[in-house]
Short mmCIF file of all heavy atoms in Angstrom, two decimals:
data_model
loop_
_atom_site.label_atom_id
_atom_site.label_comp_id
_atom_site.label_asym_id
_atom_site.label_seq_id
_atom_site.Cartn_x
_atom_site.Cartn_y
_atom_site.Cartn_z
N PRO K 3 -36.30 -10.62 11.34
CA PRO K 3 -35.07 -10.84 12.10
C PRO K 3 -34.31 -9.52 12.32
O PRO K 3 -34.47 -8.54 11.59
CB PRO K 3 -34.27 -11.77 11.18
CG PRO K 3 -34.69 -11.36 9.81
CD PRO K 3 -36.14 -10.95 9.91
N VAL K 4 -33.49 -9.53 13.34
CA VAL K 4 -32.57 -8.42 13.56
C VAL K 4 -31.35 -8.60 12.66
O VAL K 4 -30.74 -9.68 12.63
CB VAL K 4 -32.14 -8.35 15.05
CG1 VAL K 4 -31.11 -7.24 15.26
CG2 VAL K 4 -33.35 -8.11 15.93
N LEU K 5 -31.00 -7.55 11.91
CA LEU K 5 -29.88 -7.62 10.97
C LEU K 5 -28.58 -7.39 11.72
O LEU K 5 -28.22 -6.25 12.06
CB LEU K 5 -30.06 -6.60 9.84
CG LEU K 5 -31.30 -6.76 8.97
CD1 LEU K 5 -31.37 -5.66 7.92
CD2 LEU K 5 -31.33 -8.12 8.32
N LYS K 6 -27.89 -8.45 12.02
CA LYS K 6 -26.60 -8.36 12.71
C LYS K 6 -25.75 -9.55 12.27
O LYS K 6 -26.25 -10.56 11.76
CB LYS K 6 -26.79 -8.37 14.22
CG LYS K 6 -27.47 -9.62 14.76
CD LYS K 6 -27.64 -9.54 16.26
CE LYS K 6 -28.32 -10.80 16.80
NZ LYS K 6 -28.46 -10.76 18.27
N ALA K 7 -24.43 -9.38 12.45
CA ALA K 7 -23.49 -10.43 12.05
C ALA K 7 -22.22 -10.29 12.87
O ALA K 7 -22.02 -9.31 13.60
CB ALA K 7 -23.18 -10.34 10.55
N SER K 8 -21.37 -11.27 12.73
CA SER K 8 -20.11 -11.27 13.46
C SER K 8 -19.13 -10.28 12.84
O SER K 8 -19.15 -10.01 11.63
CB SER K 8 -19.50 -12.68 13.44
OG SER K 8 -18.20 -12.67 14.00
N THR K 9 -18.25 -9.74 13.66
CA THR K 9 -17.23 -8.79 13.18
C THR K 9 -15.99 -9.49 12.64
O THR K 9 -15.08 -8.81 12.16
CB THR K 9 -16.80 -7.87 14.34
OG1 THR K 9 -16.28 -8.67 15.42
CG2 THR K 9 -17.98 -7.05 14.84
N LEU K 10 -15.95 -10.80 12.69
CA LEU K 10 -14.76 -11.52 12.22
C LEU K 10 -14.48 -11.29 10.73
O LEU K 10 -13.32 -11.09 10.36
CB LEU K 10 -14.92 -13.02 12.51
CG LEU K 10 -13.73 -13.91 12.11
CD1 LEU K 10 -12.48 -13.48 12.85
CD2 LEU K 10 -14.06 -15.38 12.36
N PRO K 11 -15.49 -11.30 9.84
CA PRO K 11 -15.17 -11.03 8.43
C PRO K 11 -14.53 -9.65 8.22
O PRO K 11 -13.64 -9.51 7.38
CB PRO K 11 -16.53 -11.14 7.74
CG PRO K 11 -17.34 -12.03 8.62
CD PRO K 11 -16.89 -11.70 10.01
N TYR K 12 -14.96 -8.67 8.98
CA TYR K 12 -14.37 -7.34 8.83
C TYR K 12 -12.94 -7.31 9.36
O TYR K 12 -12.08 -6.61 8.81
CB TYR K 12 -15.23 -6.30 9.55
CG TYR K 12 -16.22 -5.63 8.63
CD1 TYR K 12 -17.02 -6.38 7.79
CD2 TYR K 12 -16.33 -4.26 8.59
CE1 TYR K 12 -17.92 -5.78 6.95
CE2 TYR K 12 -17.24 -3.64 7.75
CZ TYR K 12 -18.03 -4.42 6.93
OH TYR K 12 -18.92 -3.81 6.08
N GLN K 13 -12.69 -8.02 10.42
CA GLN K 13 -11.32 -8.08 10.94
C GLN K 13 -10.36 -8.74 9.96
O GLN K 13 -9.19 -8.39 9.89
CB GLN K 13 -11.31 -8.81 12.27
CG GLN K 13 -12.09 -8.12 13.39
CD GLN K 13 -12.16 -8.95 14.65
OE1 GLN K 13 -11.50 -9.99 14.76
NE2 GLN K 13 -12.96 -8.50 15.61
N LEU K 14 -10.89 -9.67 9.17
CA LEU K 14 -10.04 -10.37 8.21
C LEU K 14 -9.84 -9.56 6.92
O LEU K 14 -8.79 -9.64 6.29
CB LEU K 14 -10.66 -11.73 7.86
CG LEU K 14 -10.74 -12.74 9.02
CD1 LEU K 14 -11.46 -14.01 8.55
CD2 LEU K 14 -9.35 -13.08 9.54
N THR K 15 -10.85 -8.78 6.52
CA THR K 15 -10.77 -8.04 5.25
C THR K 15 -10.30 -6.60 5.40
O THR K 15 -10.00 -5.96 4.39
CB THR K 15 -12.14 -8.04 4.57
OG1 THR K 15 -13.12 -7.46 5.46
CG2 THR K 15 -12.56 -9.45 4.20
N ALA K 16 -10.22 -6.10 6.62
CA ALA K 16 -9.77 -4.71 6.81
C ALA K 16 -8.35 -4.48 6.30
O ALA K 16 -8.09 -3.47 5.63
CB ALA K 16 -9.89 -4.33 8.29
N PRO K 17 -7.38 -5.36 6.56
CA PRO K 17 -6.04 -5.14 5.98
C PRO K 17 -6.04 -5.15 4.46
O PRO K 17 -5.29 -4.40 3.83
CB PRO K 17 -5.22 -6.31 6.55
CG PRO K 17 -5.94 -6.73 7.78
CD PRO K 17 -7.38 -6.51 7.49
N ALA K 18 -6.88 -5.99 3.86
CA ALA K 18 -6.94 -6.02 2.39
C ALA K 18 -7.45 -4.69 1.84
O ALA K 18 -6.92 -4.17 0.85
CB ALA K 18 -7.84 -7.16 1.93
N LEU K 19 -8.47 -4.11 2.48
CA LEU K 19 -8.98 -2.82 2.03
C LEU K 19 -7.93 -1.72 2.22
O LEU K 19 -7.76 -0.85 1.35
CB LEU K 19 -10.25 -2.47 2.80
CG LEU K 19 -10.89 -1.11 2.48
CD1 LEU K 19 -11.27 -1.04 1.01
CD2 LEU K 19 -12.10 -0.87 3.37
N ALA K 20 -7.22 -1.75 3.34
CA ALA K 20 -6.18 -0.75 3.57
C ALA K 20 -5.08 -0.83 2.52
O ALA K 20 -4.65 0.19 1.97
CB ALA K 20 -5.60 -0.94 4.97
N LEU K 21 -4.62 -2.04 2.21
CA LEU K 21 -3.58 -2.20 1.19
C LEU K 21 -4.09 -1.77 -0.18
O LEU K 21 -3.34 -1.18 -0.98
CB LEU K 21 -3.11 -3.64 1.16
CG LEU K 21 -2.30 -4.13 2.38
CD1 LEU K 21 -1.99 -5.61 2.25
CD2 LEU K 21 -1.00 -3.33 2.50
N LEU K 22 -5.34 -2.07 -0.47
CA LEU K 22 -5.90 -1.69 -1.76
C LEU K 22 -5.93 -0.17 -1.92
O LEU K 22 -5.56 0.37 -2.97
CB LEU K 22 -7.31 -2.25 -1.89
CG LEU K 22 -7.96 -2.20 -3.28
CD1 LEU K 22 -7.17 -3.02 -4.27
CD2 LEU K 22 -9.39 -2.72 -3.19
N LEU K 23 -6.32 0.54 -0.87
CA LEU K 23 -6.34 2.00 -0.94
C LEU K 23 -4.93 2.57 -1.03
O LEU K 23 -4.68 3.54 -1.76
CB LEU K 23 -7.07 2.56 0.29
CG LEU K 23 -8.58 2.37 0.33
CD1 LEU K 23 -9.14 2.85 1.66
CD2 LEU K 23 -9.25 3.12 -0.82
N VAL K 24 -3.99 1.98 -0.29
CA VAL K 24 -2.61 2.47 -0.32
C VAL K 24 -2.00 2.27 -1.71
O VAL K 24 -1.38 3.19 -2.28
CB VAL K 24 -1.77 1.76 0.75
CG1 VAL K 24 -0.28 2.05 0.55
CG2 VAL K 24 -2.19 2.21 2.14
N PHE K 25 -2.19 1.11 -2.29
CA PHE K 25 -1.64 0.85 -3.61
C PHE K 25 -2.30 1.73 -4.66
O PHE K 25 -1.64 2.20 -5.59
CB PHE K 25 -1.82 -0.62 -3.97
CG PHE K 25 -0.95 -1.55 -3.16
CD1 PHE K 25 -1.31 -2.89 -3.00
CD2 PHE K 25 0.20 -1.10 -2.55
CE1 PHE K 25 -0.52 -3.75 -2.25
CE2 PHE K 25 1.00 -1.95 -1.79
CZ PHE K 25 0.63 -3.28 -1.64
N ARG K 26 -3.60 1.97 -4.52
CA ARG K 26 -4.31 2.83 -5.47
C ARG K 26 -3.77 4.25 -5.42
O ARG K 26 -3.52 4.88 -6.46
CB ARG K 26 -5.81 2.81 -5.15
CG ARG K 26 -6.67 3.75 -6.00
CD ARG K 26 -6.71 3.24 -7.42
NE ARG K 26 -7.66 3.99 -8.22
CZ ARG K 26 -7.43 5.18 -8.78
NH1 ARG K 26 -6.24 5.76 -8.62
NH2 ARG K 26 -8.34 5.78 -9.52
N THR K 27 -3.60 4.79 -4.23
CA THR K 27 -3.08 6.14 -4.08
C THR K 27 -1.62 6.23 -4.52
O THR K 27 -1.21 7.22 -5.14
CB THR K 27 -3.23 6.61 -2.62
OG1 THR K 27 -4.58 6.38 -2.19
CG2 THR K 27 -2.91 8.07 -2.49
N GLU K 28 -0.84 5.21 -4.21
CA GLU K 28 0.56 5.21 -4.61
C GLU K 28 0.71 5.16 -6.13
O GLU K 28 1.57 5.84 -6.72
CB GLU K 28 1.27 4.01 -3.98
CG GLU K 28 2.76 3.93 -4.28
CD GLU K 28 3.54 5.09 -3.72
OE1 GLU K 28 3.09 5.71 -2.74
OE2 GLU K 28 4.63 5.38 -4.26
N ALA K 29 -0.12 4.37 -6.80
CA ALA K 29 -0.08 4.32 -8.26
C ALA K 29 -0.45 5.67 -8.87
O ALA K 29 0.16 6.11 -9.86
CB ALA K 29 -1.02 3.24 -8.77
N SER K 30 -1.42 6.36 -8.28
CA SER K 30 -1.80 7.68 -8.79
C SER K 30 -0.68 8.69 -8.56
O SER K 30 -0.39 9.52 -9.43
CB SER K 30 -3.09 8.16 -8.11
OG SER K 30 -4.16 7.30 -8.39
N TYR K 31 -0.02 8.62 -7.40
CA TYR K 31 1.06 9.57 -7.13
C TYR K 31 2.26 9.32 -8.03
O TYR K 31 2.95 10.27 -8.43
CB TYR K 31 1.49 9.48 -5.66
CG TYR K 31 2.59 10.47 -5.33
CD1 TYR K 31 2.30 11.82 -5.18
CD2 TYR K 31 3.92 10.06 -5.22
CE1 TYR K 31 3.30 12.73 -4.90
CE2 TYR K 31 4.92 10.97 -4.94
CZ TYR K 31 4.60 12.29 -4.78
OH TYR K 31 5.59 13.21 -4.51
N SER K 32 2.52 8.07 -8.38
CA SER K 32 3.62 7.79 -9.31
C SER K 32 3.33 8.41 -10.68
O SER K 32 4.25 8.90 -11.36
CB SER K 32 3.83 6.29 -9.43
OG SER K 32 2.70 5.66 -10.01
N ARG K 33 2.07 8.41 -11.11
CA ARG K 33 1.70 9.08 -12.35
C ARG K 33 1.89 10.58 -12.23
O ARG K 33 2.37 11.24 -13.17
CB ARG K 33 0.26 8.75 -12.72
CG ARG K 33 0.03 7.32 -13.17
CD ARG K 33 -1.46 7.04 -13.30
NE ARG K 33 -2.11 7.98 -14.16
CZ ARG K 33 -2.19 7.88 -15.49
NH1 ARG K 33 -1.65 6.83 -16.10
NH2 ARG K 33 -2.81 8.78 -16.21
N PHE K 34 1.51 11.15 -11.11
CA PHE K 34 1.72 12.59 -10.88
C PHE K 34 3.20 12.93 -10.92
O PHE K 34 3.61 13.93 -11.53
CB PHE K 34 1.11 12.98 -9.54
CG PHE K 34 1.40 14.40 -9.13
CD1 PHE K 34 0.65 15.44 -9.64
CD2 PHE K 34 2.41 14.68 -8.24
CE1 PHE K 34 0.91 16.76 -9.27
CE2 PHE K 34 2.69 15.98 -7.86
CZ PHE K 34 1.94 17.02 -8.37
N GLU K 35 4.02 12.11 -10.29
CA GLU K 35 5.46 12.36 -10.28
C GLU K 35 6.06 12.22 -11.68
O GLU K 35 6.95 13.00 -12.06
CB GLU K 35 6.13 11.37 -9.32
CG GLU K 35 7.61 11.59 -9.11
CD GLU K 35 7.92 12.88 -8.38
OE1 GLU K 35 6.99 13.48 -7.80
OE2 GLU K 35 9.09 13.29 -8.39
N GLU K 36 5.57 11.28 -12.45
CA GLU K 36 6.07 11.10 -13.81
C GLU K 36 5.70 12.30 -14.69
O GLU K 36 6.51 12.77 -15.50
CB GLU K 36 5.50 9.82 -14.41
CG GLU K 36 6.15 9.42 -15.73
CD GLU K 36 5.66 8.07 -16.23
OE1 GLU K 36 4.87 7.44 -15.51
OE2 GLU K 36 6.09 7.66 -17.32
N GLY K 37 4.50 12.81 -14.53
CA GLY K 37 4.10 14.01 -15.26
C GLY K 37 4.92 15.22 -14.86
O GLY K 37 5.30 16.05 -15.70
N ARG K 38 5.21 15.36 -13.58
CA ARG K 38 6.03 16.49 -13.11
C ARG K 38 7.44 16.41 -13.68
O ARG K 38 8.01 17.42 -14.12
CB ARG K 38 6.07 16.49 -11.59
CG ARG K 38 6.79 17.69 -10.98
CD ARG K 38 6.99 17.50 -9.50
NE ARG K 38 7.88 16.38 -9.22
CZ ARG K 38 9.20 16.46 -9.27
NH1 ARG K 38 9.79 17.59 -9.61
NH2 ARG K 38 9.93 15.40 -8.99
N LYS K 39 8.02 15.21 -13.70
CA LYS K 39 9.36 15.05 -14.26
C LYS K 39 9.38 15.33 -15.76
O LYS K 39 10.34 15.91 -16.27
CB LYS K 39 9.87 13.63 -13.98
CG LYS K 39 10.20 13.37 -12.51
CD LYS K 39 10.71 11.95 -12.31
CE LYS K 39 11.06 11.69 -10.86
NZ LYS K 39 11.53 10.30 -10.64
#
């Protein structure tokens, strides 16, 4: 078979991945800021 699928699952999970990366980076920066203080 040809390996292909609908793009709907990616359209639904893309915001979740974006928020996950934003929260991960924000948590790391808060640790950096706490160490600097």
Side-chain angles (χ1 to χ4, degrees):
V4 176
L5 299 179
K6 60 181 180 178
S8 173
T9 59
L10 182 60
Y12 265 48
Q13 296 175 8
L14 295 176
T15 57
L19 178 60
L21 290 176
L22 192 62
L23 288 174
V24 169
F25 290 157
R26 176 69 172 81
T27 309
E28 182 64 24
S30 298
Y31 181 76
S32 65
R33 290 171 54 86
F34 173 81
E35 185 68 14
E36 190 174 357
R38 185 189 65 82
K39 289 180 179 179

